[in-house]
Amino acid sequence: MKIGQLGRHAARALPVLLVVGLLSGPAMAHCDSMDGPVVADAQRALAGRDMEPVLKWIRTEDEAEIRRVFAMALTVRGESETARNVADLYFFETLVRIHRAGEGEGFVGLRPVGSVEPAIAAADRALADGNIEVLADRIAASVRQGIVHRFSEARELRPTAEQSAAQGRRYVAAYVQLTHFVQTADRLVAHGASHQHPAN
């Protein structure tokens, strides 16, 4: 696949991926997971004694604090295995907290390995291997299935909606599910996600 084609497929797949994540339950970031990309870059930074890999995750105005914590971690982690573990965890937590604050999001602690949502893990793998086709097709099919299912329910209940208040309410509930699903999908495709990292 050519790079231009890959970019177009990725552009189509990402909004769909966001739709599925948003409509399947509360949106959860993966930057606060121990096997997420922020911690992975933090581990590389500590191993190489070079904080360059983590700078992309924070705003310019937050660099001084991260540099301070990074220097402290490098100093302390050589004392013992326990000190290293504590220093590393403190650096991870500080980095993720500041990263999320830069996005306007809160931080309640690092989630354990294995807590990254399957769809986001698949997106990370697609970015790593350069192949978006399987992910794009799967997510697009999931969104289509979600729309068709909600449409079928509303369509089935529509003819009896005027027969009683109870039946009318059942129809309205199905109608709201359909229209909200479609509206959210359309807004995400048109405007993208609201969870953005400031580019400065």
Side-chain angles (χ1 to χ4, degrees), residues 51 55 58-71 98:
M51 66 174 292
L55 293 180
I58 60 172
R59 299 173 299 178
T60 303
E61 58 263 37
D62 295 322
E63 278 192 34
E65 182 175 359
I66 290 299
R67 289 186 183 280
R68 179 184 62 79
V69 174
F70 182 71
I98 289 175

Side-chain angles (χ1 to χ4, degrees), residues 146-161 166-182:
I147 293 173
V148 169
H149 172 71
R150 288 163 175 78
F151 170 80
S152 298
E153 286 192 341
R155 181 67 177 172
E156 180 181 349
L157 295 169
R158 182 184 174 93
T160 60
Q167 287 172 298
R169 291 182 186 117
R170 288 180 62 203
Y171 166 68
V172 168
Y175 172 79
V176 168
Q177 284 290 315
L178 171 64
T179 56
H180 284 192
F181 191 99
V182 172

